[in-house]
Amino acid sequence: MILSISGVVLLGIIVFIFFRKCGLKASHALVCALFGFYLASTAIAPSIKAGGESLASLLGGIQF
């Protein structure tokens, strides 16, 4: 749960930065949000979630 909230916040910040600095239009952000919403209800959603969790696990295991 914490990872998903952190991921949502991180992606939201990235979209905001793109919107402010790189010329991302509000319509593009809306299309991206709708795509993510509809993608979450498809059969591939568990695979995407598992991939995100394994990536977070990999990044969390890196020792500096």
Side-chain angles (χ1 to χ4, degrees):
M1 180 70 175
I2 293 172
L3 179 63
S4 358
I5 292 173
S6 300
V8 167
V9 170
L10 177 65
L11 290 174
I13 290 170
I14 291 170
V15 167
F16 179 75
I17 290 171
F18 282 164
F19 181 71
R20 297 288 291 170
K21 302 289 181 190
C22 298
L24 179 70
K25 295 182 181 179
S27 60
H28 297 152
L30 180 64
V31 169
C32 290
L34 288 173
F35 176 70
F37 177 76
Y38 287 118
L39 186 63
S41 64
T42 64
I44 198 170
S47 299
I48 294 171
K49 183 177 179 184
E53 289 174 353
S54 70
L55 179 64
S57 172
L58 176 73
L59 293 176
I62 294 175
Q63 299 291 327
F64 291 106

